Amino acid sequence: MRSSSLLLEELAGLYKQVLEAPSFDRYEQVSEKMDQLYLDLSEKSFTAADKLTLEQIQNMHEKVIAVIQQEQKEIKNQINTMEMKKNVSNAYSTKASYINDAFFVDIRN
């Protein structure tokens, strides 16, 4: 069984790896490993040095969360923009309900 210091170092390494090119996809690639490390750490006790490392990990975690939230916001904006374009497009491509395919013949001529 590994010590808490080794587990924390490994967890910090994973966060640094994600923060090299931060994105949700990058986070998702290592999230299962992170979850397992957090589970292992929940059974450990920490030294004063470990607590400093935990603070650094928390800071990195907050940065990753901020990146993911920004990505989510951008995706929502893209979806809204696409919906607006679709609604405008539909407004010009549909026939009005009062228009029908009838025609008139002028019999006076």
Side-chain angles (χ1 to χ4, degrees), residues 7-103:
L7 293 172
L8 288 172
E9 286 177 24
E10 187 175 353
L11 186 59
L14 290 174
Y15 274 108
K16 288 176 185 173
Q17 179 183 344
V18 170
L19 289 171
E20 286 175 0
S23 70
F24 176 74
D25 293 333
R26 187 101 180 222
Y27 171 77
E28 195 174 36
Q29 291 172 355
V30 296
S31 65
E32 287 184 31
K33 181 74 173 165
M34 286 180 167
D35 290 343
Q36 185 59 48
L37 289 171
Y38 277 118
L39 185 63
D40 293 345
L41 284 168
S42 68
E43 303 166 355
K44 303 284 183 182
S45 58
F46 301 106
T47 64
D50 289 344
K51 290 181 181 179
L52 291 174
T53 306
L54 277 171
E55 286 180 24
Q56 293 171 346
I57 289 172
Q58 182 179 9
N59 289 336
M60 289 187 281
H61 180 76
E62 289 171 358
K63 289 178 185 177
V64 169
I65 295 296
V67 167
I68 291 171
Q69 287 175 336
Q70 181 62 34
E71 277 188 27
Q72 185 180 29
K73 183 179 176 183
E74 290 171 6
I75 290 171
K76 284 181 181 179
N77 287 340
Q78 289 175 354
I79 290 171
N80 288 339
T81 302
M82 289 174 62
E83 285 294 323
M84 288 189 309
K85 287 180 180 179
K86 180 178 136 188
N87 290 339
V88 168
S89 175
N90 285 343
Y92 288 108
S93 66
T94 58
K95 285 186 176 181
S97 62
Y98 56 85
I99 297 177
N100 57 23
D101 291 332
F103 61 94

